[in-house]
């Protein structure tokens, strides 16, 4: 399970927990997250801006 | 044009220089912690003015907060000038963890409601002229505007459930249910682009902007919440709809006031709420006037940077608005708590604080005289770099377009 971090505010998207609040249930893979996904904390960075953290295959 | 999607760190760091901070500024930084309590004074003045109006039976008291907001604050700004203090990295760590700053917001939220209830009581129970009731409407509107500043600050901390709930309670005071959703997910994402109803365009008057912004933001807020609920496979009319949750708080509270104070409370509450929204619109109008993010080669807009927001650094109005006027840093880093927001030396600068700028925005010709040339200087004469009202495009190009004045 991989993790991806917002380069602005430090929010971490963890595939294990997903982001229930925005409608992406636990286990949602990063590749299934839409391209225009905005950071759910700061909303000023989008999926392509996120940086992969440890655990990336 | 910057072709990178992510701005370089030097763009985002501002011009903080620890060595230049004088002993006097250091002293100010310590005192500032308590000066933020000034935001509590706004509802306190409103309550005081209501009590005085009832005690003396003289309705002019109901104008008090309006006078303080539009006349006293600009004068105090003029006297005390700018606040050049930016916390060092070390100080930022201390400030970040200090719960005192959040507690001010919670206290202010409670006082906002107390202010609204007490003024509604005064207006419905007292015997005041329409002119003095107008003063009460404008005063409550000014309080709502400051209240939405609190709500704005609370609502940006999406990872803190208590703050998000407080933001809902705070927005509900002025019935602005869609604010927190729309502002974070809509305005911050689209700011300084033609797609944003909450970013004003050069040549657009405050009133034209209000007609575009008020319905545009409401629609965007609703659509954003509907699509979130759709992803969660829930109905848009579910109990999980945060917009409807906030609206429910307003309906229950306003309903209780109508029940307690009589039917006259209803028009008063609705008119003050509408005027409160208009005051927020005034703030939105001045925050990004004419500024435009460039389109990158990949078709996306460049990332929001400090020069995409008008900045202002006057001491008094910045305390009153929780550093909202340090708007460049706020938009570059929306999750930074208010006590950490920094001034940017190289951000476009408004000549006065928000209350004074709001007053000028109400007179469109005065606004354009003061602001249009600043937009032109910001764009270095290249009007292609400006967010222009389409109806004014030709007139503005023929009057201002002169890209040669750009320095290579």
């Amino acid at each position: 399970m991989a993790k991806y971090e917002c380069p602005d505010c430090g929010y971490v998207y963890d595939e294990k927990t997903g982001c229930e609040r925005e409608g992406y249930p636990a286990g949602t893979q990063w590749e299934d997250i839409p391209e225009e996904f905005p950071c759910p904390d700061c909303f000023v960075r989008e999926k392509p801006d996120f940086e992969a953290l440890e655990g990336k295959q | 044009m910057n072709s990178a999607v992510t701005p370089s760190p030097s763009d985002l760091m501002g011009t903080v220089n620890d060595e230049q901070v004088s002993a006097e500024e250091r002293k100010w930084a310590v005192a500032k912690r308590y000066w933020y309590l000034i935001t509590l004074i706004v509802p306190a003045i409103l309550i005081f003015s209501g009590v005085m109006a009832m005690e003396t039976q003289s309705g002019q008291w109901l104008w008090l907060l309006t006078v303080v907001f539009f006349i006293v604050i600009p004068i105090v700004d003029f006297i005390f000038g700018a606040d050049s203090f930016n916390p060092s990295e070390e100080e930022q760590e201390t400030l970040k963890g200090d719960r005192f700053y959040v507690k001010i917001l919670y206290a202010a939220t409670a006082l906002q409601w107390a202010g609204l209830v007490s003024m509604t009581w005064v207006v419905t129970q007292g015997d005041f002229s329409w002119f003095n009731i107008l003063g009460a409407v404008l005063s409550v509107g000014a309080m709502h505007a400051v209240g939405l500043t609190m709500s704005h600050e609370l609502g940006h901390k999406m990872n803190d459930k208590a703050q998000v709930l407080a933001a809902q309670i705070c927005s509900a005071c002025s019935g602005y249910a869609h604010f927190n959703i729309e502002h974070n997910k809509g305005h911050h994402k689209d700011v300084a682009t033609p797609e944003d109803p909450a970013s004003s365009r050069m040549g657009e008057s405050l009133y034209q902007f209000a007609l575009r912004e008020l319905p545009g933001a409401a629609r965007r807020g609703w659509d954003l919440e509907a699509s979130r609920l759709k992803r969660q496979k829930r109905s848009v009319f579910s109990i999980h709809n945060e917009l409807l949750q906030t609206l429910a708080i307003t309906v229950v509270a306003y309903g209780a006031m109508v029940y307690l104070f009589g039917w006259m409370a209803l028009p008063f509450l609705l008119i003050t709420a509408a005027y409160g929204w208009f005051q927020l619109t005034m703030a939105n109008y001045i925050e990004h006037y004419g500024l435009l993010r460039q389109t990158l080669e990949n078709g996306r807009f460049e990332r929001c940077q400090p020069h995409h927001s008008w900045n202002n650094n006057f001491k008094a109005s910045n305390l009153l608005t929780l550093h909202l006027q340090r708007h460049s840093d706020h938009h570059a880093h929306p999750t930074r708590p208010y006590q950490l927001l920094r001034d940017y030396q190289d951000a476009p600068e408004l000549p006065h604080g928000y209350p004074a700028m709001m007053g000028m925005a109400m007179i469109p010709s005065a606004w354009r005289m003061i602001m249009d040339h600043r937009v032109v200087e910001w764009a270095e004469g290249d009007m292609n770099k400006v967010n222009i009202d389409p109806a004014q495009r030709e007139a503005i190009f023929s009057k201002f377009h002169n890209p040669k004045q750009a320095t290579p």
Side-chain angles (χ1 to χ4, degrees), chain B residues 39-41 43-44 46-47 106-116 118 143:
Chain B
T39 49
L40 301 175
I41 288 177
L46 191 81
I47 295 168
Y106 291 155
T109 302
L111 265 183
Q112 294 281 327
W113 274 104
L116 181 66
S118 65
M143 183 193 76

Side-chain angles (χ1 to χ4, degrees), chain B residues 8 40 49 60 65 78 102 142 149 186 205 224-225 230 242 279 302 307 323 335:
Chain B
S8 71
L40 301 175
S49 69
Q60 290 94 320
L65 186 59
F78 182 76
V102 181
T149 308
S205 77
L224 283 163
E225 188 62 354
K230 198 177 161 198
E242 287 172 15
Q279 275 235 324
E302 64 175 319
H307 63 267
H323 272 168
T335 57

Side-chain angles (χ1 to χ4, degrees), chain A residues 8 20-22 24 49, chain B residues 185 228 231-232 303 333:
Chain A
D8 182 66
E20 302 273 2
R21 174 155 52 85
E22 287 298 323
Y24 302 104
D49 304 325
Chain B
K185 304 182 182 183
R228 182 182 78 91
R231 282 196 299 273
Q232 290 188 337
R303 286 294 169 253
H333 307 290

